[in-house]
Amino acid sequence: MRWIWIDRFLEFESGKSAKAVKNLSTAEDHFRDHFPGYPVMPAALIIEGLAQTGGILVGEANQFREKVVLAKIAKTRFEREMFAGEQLIYQVEILMMRPEAASVLGKVFVGGVQTAEAEIFFAHLDQARSKQMFGDHNFVFSGELKYLLGLAKVASQTGKDSPG
């Protein structure tokens, strides 16, 4: 199963905000079972996409000196279900950034209409403590998401949409 729930970054403003896209395809495993004949994106995976967008924004603001861990989803609201064939736009902005934690407000848009919103809190763990508690293999921000971020930064410097 795929663990990265964004396809690419569209915009990235260090320490402030990020915008990412997720194209929902019937080829994704979860649509087979959720629900047969009515392919709905599971709400938990939509929240995970927002959390990944927000987590990479928070991590990058600290130059990835510390591990960013999802601590709490304070509130969530969904306006409707999201289906295979739709394109989700995740917009995330930092609300609060402290040495021990951060919070973001994430919004999901489909066709320019807001379909969901969540306030997400992250904890910061120093490298030694995070390795001791979780090991490096449990952090998605060390690989593909950093690569996607790099593509977004290159695109913003050239003034073009990130490839993808």
Side-chain angles (χ1 to χ4, degrees), residues 7 25 71 83 104 110 115 119 124:
D7 293 330
S25 167
F83 302 96
V104 302
V110 175
T115 56
E119 188 174 346
H124 299 142

Side-chain angles (χ1 to χ4, degrees), residues 2 6-8 21-25 28 85-88 164:
R2 182 178 172 180
I6 62 176
D7 293 330
R8 63 187 163 117
V21 65
K22 172 65 178 138
N23 295 300
L24 305 183
S25 167
E28 296 180 73
E86 293 186 314
Q87 183 179 71
L88 308 184

Side-chain angles (χ1 to χ4, degrees), residues 29-65:
D29 293 339
H30 59 273
F31 284 126
R32 183 180 58 248
D33 298 320
H34 196 266
F35 297 97
Y38 190 73
V40 176
M41 177 75 162
L45 298 182
I46 294 168
I47 297 299
E48 179 64 22
L50 279 175
Q52 288 178 357
T53 304
I56 204 80
L57 176 66
V58 168
E60 191 273 345
N62 287 321
Q63 292 82 45
F64 299 102
R65 285 188 302 269

Side-chain angles (χ1 to χ4, degrees), residues 3 22 36 43 46 50 57 66 69 92 98 107 109 112 118-119 121 123 125 128 136 138 142-143 147 152:
W3 295 102
K22 172 65 178 138
I46 294 168
L50 279 175
L57 176 66
E66 300 171 317
V69 179
V92 176
R98 295 189 182 143
K107 297 178 180 180
F109 294 85
E119 188 174 346
F121 287 83
L125 297 177
D136 276 340
N138 287 315
S142 59
Y147 173 75

